Amino acid sequence: DPYEHLNVALNPDGTLTRFIQLPTTPPTGEDPTTPGLTVLSKDVTLNADKKTWIRLYRPANVPPAARLPIVFYLHSGGWVMMSVAETYLHESNNRLAAELPAVTISVEYRLAPEHRLPAQYDDAIEAVHWLRQQAADEENGERWIRDYGDFSRCYLYGISCGANIAFNVALRLEENLEPIRFAGTILNQPMFGGKQRTKSELKMAADQFFPLPVLDLLWELALPAGTDRDHRYCNPFVDKPMREKLRKLGRCLIIGFGGDLLIDRQQDFVQMLVENGVLVEARFDDVGFHMIDMIDPRRATAILTFIKEFV
């Protein structure tokens, strides 16, 4: 039962009851003299009506005149769960900001099924526009952005469904976002699907961590009502007009693992990008499974090393 596997229940009104509440961590605040802090963080409202917000991160000690890359972090959770305030994601962003180093913008986007696609894309795009406003307002813009961000080195970084969001947001970006410019897109174990099963999906259909019925349910809860897994949000291979926009990705880093039932789609995706002239760096490891970096700290370190080299 995929609902039992996810520890959720679908209510008659179409909302979801999430039975597991993971630990959360508050932001540190803005005082760089707080003992033991290597990274500072704070929350900023993105859209009060939609109840969306972002958590900003920056290294506590930034050298004078330093300009850091700006990384949009789009979290995993299968569209239906997780929050940037949850301790695992908070610590992941701490590491990202400290070790790159970077100014990190972690987007608290709306969840499905209460808010179906493309709501998540819309929220991430709104965060991009928020950054542009801060960068353009030299007098009243967000200080961490204005004082430490390198607007010519912005990156979209997504994990699992967050990588799907990063991909679709990259395709939506306007031609002119001055003064900000996106230098690349990082897709970590991107989540795509389709009605036709791949060999890896059939081979790993009973995977203990991410079985095929769970994947199907996540798409059922996230896609627009009345659509199927061949909708362009899920299956990028069926959307021919989209291919004309692929160069908007800029440089692209794609990370995947052989034990992920999505591996065939991810490798086919790389091939599609290359055939359409996208500059791609693919890092595929035979050993590992979907979201392995949540469980294996060593693999999380290796992934961060990939990203640091790319950025």
Side-chain angles (χ1 to χ4, degrees):
D1 182 343
Y3 288 98
E4 183 178 341
H5 185 92
L6 293 169
N7 282 288
V8 298
L10 186 63
N11 302 315
D13 63 356
T15 62
L16 207 63
T17 297
R18 300 161 177 87
F19 294 110
I20 294 180
Q21 299 296 320
L22 296 177
T24 60
T25 299
T28 63
E30 302 189 47
D31 185 0
T33 64
T34 304
L37 285 183
T38 58
V39 173
L40 301 179
S41 55
K42 62 179 175 180
D43 293 341
V44 178
T45 298
L46 182 60
N47 187 314
D49 293 335
K50 296 178 181 177
K51 299 181 180 178
T52 56
W53 47 280
I54 56 180
R55 181 164 289 186
L56 292 178
Y57 297 81
R58 74 163 178 87
N61 296 305
V62 182
R67 286 292 175 180
L68 306 178
I70 299 171
V71 178
F72 283 87
Y73 181 94
L74 298 157
H75 67 77
S76 58
W79 310 110
V80 304
M81 58 185 66
M82 300 195 77
S83 163
V84 298
E86 289 174 2
T87 300
Y88 162 73
L89 291 180
H90 178 74
E91 292 303 326
S92 295
N93 279 292
N94 274 337
R95 292 188 64 197
L96 194 66
E99 295 187 31
L100 284 181
V103 175
T104 304
I105 301 174
S106 192
V107 184
E108 180 75 353
Y109 56 78
R110 292 169 291 173
L111 298 179
E114 294 86 353
H115 306 281
R116 292 176 175 268
L117 289 165
Q120 293 75 16
Y121 306 156
D122 295 341
D123 294 344
I125 283 288
E126 192 165 12
V128 171
H129 291 161
W130 175 87
L131 173 64
R132 185 186 186 187
Q133 292 169 0
Q134 309 315 306
D137 189 344
E138 296 182 0
E139 191 169 324
N140 299 308
E142 166 56 49
R143 188 168 55 85
W144 287 7
I145 300 294
R146 185 190 65 208
D147 293 351
Y148 305 113
D150 183 346
F151 305 133
S152 69
R153 289 193 295 155
C154 299
Y155 294 84
L156 291 164
Y157 172 38
I159 304 176
S160 188
C161 70
N164 179 298
I165 298 172
F167 169 67
N168 280 279
V169 167
L171 299 185
R172 287 186 173 197
L173 293 176
E174 297 98 322
E175 293 295 332
N176 183 9
L177 282 169
E178 294 293 338
I180 68 172
R181 185 175 69 84
F182 280 85
T185 307
I186 304 162
L187 308 180
N188 183 351
Q189 306 158 75
M191 183 175 170
F192 298 116
K195 290 172 64 177
Q196 182 68 37
R197 301 299 191 192
T198 65
K199 290 182 179 179
S200 62
E201 287 172 347
L202 295 173
K203 179 182 177 181
M204 290 176 267
D207 180 79
Q208 289 186 341
F209 179 67
F210 196 37
L212 192 56
V214 167
L215 178 63
D216 288 350
L217 176 63
L218 293 175
W219 283 119
E220 181 182 331
L221 295 173
L223 286 169
T227 64
D228 59 30
R229 293 193 306 276
D230 277 341
H231 190 282
R232 65 184 184 277
Y233 297 157
C234 178
N235 188 348
F237 303 99
V238 300
D239 188 6
K240 303 301 182 184
M242 175 211 69
R243 299 191 179 204
E244 300 176 2
K245 304 176 182 178
L246 288 176
R247 291 180 182 271
K248 286 189 173 185
L249 291 172
R251 294 169 59 233
C252 190
L253 170 64
I254 300 179
I255 300 167
F257 298 94
D260 184 350
L261 80 169
L262 299 175
I263 187 66
D264 285 352
R265 295 192 189 277
Q266 294 162 0
Q267 292 180 336
D268 289 345
F269 179 73
V270 169
Q271 182 176 343
M272 179 183 72
L273 296 185
V274 171
E275 289 174 350
N276 285 274
V278 179
L279 183 60
V280 179
E281 180 176 349
R283 298 290 189 99
F284 288 103
D285 192 328
D286 290 339
V287 179
F289 47 87
H290 196 72
M291 295 305 301
I292 187 173
D293 48 316
M294 288 184 65
I295 298 170
D296 186 344
R298 295 169 301 176
R299 200 55 58 89
T301 299
I303 289 173
L304 188 57
T305 299
F306 296 163
I307 295 169
K308 187 172 184 178
E309 294 171 356
F310 182 80
V311 171

